[in-house]
Amino acid sequence: MGLEVSGVPETMLWTLHNRASEALRDDGVIRDPECLRVYRGIEYDYEARFGNASPSHGVRSRVVDAEIRRFAATHPRPTIVNLGEGLETQRYRLADLEVRWMSVDVAEALAVRERLIPPDDTHVHLAASALDAAWADAVPEGPVHVTAQGLLMYFEEQEVDGLIRMLAARFPGAWLSFDTIPEWLSRRSMHGWKLTPSYTVPRMPFGISRRELPAKMARLVPGSVTREIPYSFPRGAGRWLAPLLSATPVLGSHTPSIWTVELPTRP
Ligand SMILES: C[S@@+](CC[C@H](N)C(=O)[O-])C[C@H]1O[C@@H](n2cnc3c(N)ncnc32)[C@H](O)[C@@H]1O
């Protein structure tokens, strides 16, 4: 299958490329035959567009899989809402859980997803912007875990703030898992970050330091509890560099990070 996607929706192929590179390895950080099916089902020169794959997005998926498992273990029959789900195959990796899935992504991305990953009664697709609160009306009663993997950085800061406040108002007691990039990486993207000669990463206006994020969440949603989820790279320099950097007082504040915010049970 060939396809025409551009802008932020095209980034779902970048993260797919990186996840597939892990799923292909015997020692990869994720086991994911469905990821490989989707990867091979799209006629696309991933290497030419995005260059050599990195384990980063496989690592992120593994970490968020574990967070969803934790939530499902303590909350009966929850709904997992994936904002900007792209071509993630998380639902298959977690197929043993008794959960309902909702993918919220823009129509252009969802049209590609649906050619390879069909929705069904318990895996619902909603073509909407995460920033349009109307999608929240479709979420059934009960425990909710919202994930936004590789999404918030593409929004303006005030859009991120509005989204977090909306989630807190609509889903008291929900968990919210997401990743952030540091300001330097955001700045780099604003000046045209060329990943390869043929691919410039879309603008990522929202960057934040690791040290600031918990205070920001406490300001936006008083009573929320913010946990940083540690991660490490499976091999290469990142394996020792990532934990070393994280523990370094100044530099450690400027790394990509993964978080779960537990929203208060009363808005
Ligand atoms: C970097 S990709 C991440 C995809 C997936 N979460 C993953 O980790 O592979 C960014 C995703 O955000 C989606 N997206 C962009 N703007 C959006 C919006 N306003 N609301 C919902 N999704 C959006 C894109 O279509 C794309 O699927």
Side-chain angles (χ1 to χ4, degrees), residues 8-9 11 15 19 60 84-86 105-106 109 129-130 149-151 155:
V8 181
T11 61
T15 51
R19 266 195 311 280
R60 180 174 75 197
E85 193 170 18
D105 207 320
V106 294
S129 168
Q149 302 162 69
L151 179 66
F155 295 151

Side-chain angles (χ1 to χ4, degrees), residues 36-99:
L36 296 178
R37 177 182 63 78
V38 171
Y39 184 69
R40 291 172 177 139
I42 298 174
E43 217 175 277
Y44 188 87
D45 196 341
Y46 299 91
E47 292 278 339
R49 194 78 171 136
F50 305 120
N52 291 337
S54 122
S56 52
H57 296 118
V59 168
R60 180 174 75 197
S61 290
R62 185 170 70 173
V63 164
V64 177
D65 285 359
E67 283 298 288
I68 295 173
R69 281 193 182 284
R70 287 186 60 186
F71 189 76
T74 48
H75 298 79
R77 287 181 292 286
T79 300
I80 314 300
V81 179
N82 298 274
L83 303 179
E85 193 170 18
L87 294 165
E88 244 296 1
T89 40
Q90 202 151 38
R91 71 177 241 201
Y92 299 104
R93 293 194 302 275
L94 300 178
D96 57 307
L97 299 182
E98 203 185 327
V99 299

Side-chain angles (χ1 to χ4, degrees), residues 187-198:
R187 277 195 297 274
R188 184 169 169 190
S189 78
M190 302 304 276
H191 294 120
W193 172 18
K194 266 186 120 32
L195 198 61
T196 64
S198 76

Side-chain angles (χ1 to χ4, degrees), residues 3 9 16 20 36 41 45 47 58 67-68 92 123 126 145-146 148 152 253:
L3 67 159
L16 175 69
L36 296 178
D45 196 341
E47 292 278 339
E67 283 298 288
I68 295 173
Y92 299 104
H123 305 93
L126 284 176
H145 187 174
V146 180
L152 300 189
S253 196

Side-chain angles (χ1 to χ4, degrees), residues 21-22 25-29 54-55 232-240:
S21 74
E22 285 301 304
R25 296 179 66 109
D26 289 341
D27 64 349
V29 296
S54 122
S232 58
F233 285 90
R235 65 192 83 81
R239 186 171 178 178
W240 54 268

